[in-house]
Amino acid sequence: MLSKDEIASYQKNGYLMVEDAVSPSQLNELRRLTAQFIEASRDVRESNAVYDLDKGHGPDTPRLTRIKIPHKQHPYFWEVLRNSRMTAVLASLLGPDTAIITSKLNTKAPGGGAAVEWHQDWAFYPHTNDDLLAFGLMLEDVDAANGPLMVIPETHRGPILDHGINGVFAGAINPDDPLFERDKIVTLTGKAGSMTVHHARILHGSAPNVSDRPRYILFYEIAKADAWPILGAASYIHELGQRRFWEDLQERIITGKACLVPRLETVPVRMPLPPAPDNSSIFKTQQSAGAKSAFQ
């Protein structure tokens, strides 16, 4: 469990670094599975339900931006979230009842693996309250050269910045926005097995990987069970039917149980609409909308 000082630091700054979030054997298995997925991507010619391909991807040089929703691609990614030190960290910060929003394994290839432009996760999926966070488990050592996560402390307590450009939701802020304070950026580096935690409203991004080593970070985006999504919930229920929607809700529970009484808080909300020409991933959203880069 986290100490009172660690919890207080997270609440004040909006982020946290946790060492040894998984055991050595769990880390080795996650690495093995990641290598297996990357090897299988050699025969993939275009992005699909499992892979987002990076520029230069091919049979001889597999280059990915992401393995999509890994906890649905292999059960071990789900098991380790529910049975590791990550689980205890989750309980410390969100309490006993938690649900997954999504997961992703961002795989920045050496020599220019794609950047993620500055954004707030909350802009993508506003909820009835903001008890939402993301874990970023480092599967390899992460340093300043291979595209680490960067955050701006305390921005989780500020406004939701405009993530639009050219009339569509671009999934990135304008780096010229006066509220984007570069001088306050904190770079989060660590050894394999370390984990970043960041609040859904904190401003964050990551530069390209300019090193000769890969950068693999397994992200889980998580909500307290009483936080319900605002956008699309009604249409989602209509599409699936109430029974399947309830089953899906149960499948998302990490710890505890589902909540049928959403907690409504006064939180800033800006809907992620109209959608970008290609909104199949954050990379495609930012690229297809023409988001301005903060890393050039």
Side-chain angles (χ1 to χ4, degrees):
M1 301 291 284
L2 296 177
S3 69
K4 289 183 179 180
D5 287 345
E6 288 172 318
I7 294 171
S9 178
Y10 171 76
Q11 291 171 341
K12 178 182 185 296
N13 296 307
Y15 75 93
L16 200 63
M17 279 292 302
V18 178
E19 295 183 350
D20 302 320
V22 293
S23 69
S25 62
Q26 288 173 325
L27 178 60
N28 287 338
E29 179 63 6
L30 290 169
R31 284 169 156 173
R32 186 188 71 81
L33 290 171
T34 300
Q36 196 173 79
F37 272 99
I38 293 174
E39 182 65 24
S41 76
R42 290 179 183 273
D43 297 327
V44 177
R45 296 292 180 265
E46 58 184 25
S47 298
N48 57 26
V50 179
Y51 299 109
D52 264 334
L53 306 186
D54 201 353
K55 294 177 181 177
H57 174 82
D60 298 327
T61 55
R63 293 177 63 88
L64 310 175
T65 56
R66 173 177 294 174
I67 297 167
K68 300 178 181 178
I69 322 181
H71 79 278
K72 290 193 174 184
Q73 311 299 348
H74 193 286
Y76 193 75
F77 291 102
W78 180 243
E79 178 185 333
V80 76
L81 176 62
R82 302 189 71 198
N83 296 283
S84 66
R85 191 182 175 206
M86 288 192 290
T87 325
V89 173
L90 193 56
S92 294
L93 296 178
L94 292 185
D97 303 317
T98 59
I100 194 165
I101 300 170
T102 190
S103 65
K104 54 219 177 187
L105 207 173
N106 286 0
T107 58
K108 289 190 181 184
V116 177
E117 299 299 335
W118 286 85
H119 66 283
Q120 295 162 294
D121 293 341
W122 180 261
F124 289 80
Y125 42 71
H127 280 59
T128 58
N129 65 71
D130 67 355
D131 270 336
L132 283 72
L133 54 74
F135 288 167
L137 180 65
M138 302 175 187
L139 302 188
E140 302 290 345
D141 294 351
V142 175
D143 60 26
N146 65 343
L149 183 70
M150 296 180 285
V151 300
I152 299 182
E154 301 188 36
T155 49
H156 67 302
R157 296 186 290 173
I160 302 305
L161 302 190
D162 188 356
H163 287 61
I165 190 170
N166 300 322
V168 299
F169 178 72
I173 67 164
N174 184 340
D176 297 327
D177 191 312
L179 294 178
F180 178 52
E181 300 177 283
R182 292 177 184 265
D183 60 323
K184 295 183 178 180
I185 291 173
V186 173
T187 300
L188 304 181
T189 60
K191 295 291 186 182
S194 299
M195 180 176 75
T196 62
V197 183
H198 69 265
H199 191 279
R201 283 173 55 185
I202 199 169
L203 268 171
H204 64 286
S206 62
N209 178 5
V210 296
S211 76
D212 58 0
R213 296 168 291 106
R215 194 223 69 175
Y216 303 145
I217 299 184
L218 173 59
F219 285 100
Y220 296 99
E221 298 178 19
I222 301 165
K224 192 166 184 173
D226 66 3
W228 277 63
I230 294 173
L231 181 66
S235 61
Y236 185 47
I237 294 172
H238 177 74
E239 178 183 347
L240 289 182
Q242 287 184 332
R243 183 173 301 279
R244 181 66 192 107
F245 179 81
W246 174 246
E247 291 171 352
D248 179 76
L249 185 62
Q250 296 296 308
E251 291 168 3
R252 290 176 180 270
I253 296 300
I254 305 166
T255 57
K257 59 184 184 301
C259 175
L260 297 181
V261 183
R263 177 164 50 92
L264 305 177
E265 298 285 352
T266 303
V267 288
V269 170
R270 184 191 294 264
M271 288 301 189
L273 295 169
D278 184 347
N279 64 349
S280 58
S281 74
I282 188 172
F283 302 99
K284 296 295 195 305
T285 294
Q286 293 180 347
Q287 291 167 8
S288 69
K292 186 176 180 180
S293 179
F295 299 106
Q296 293 178 346

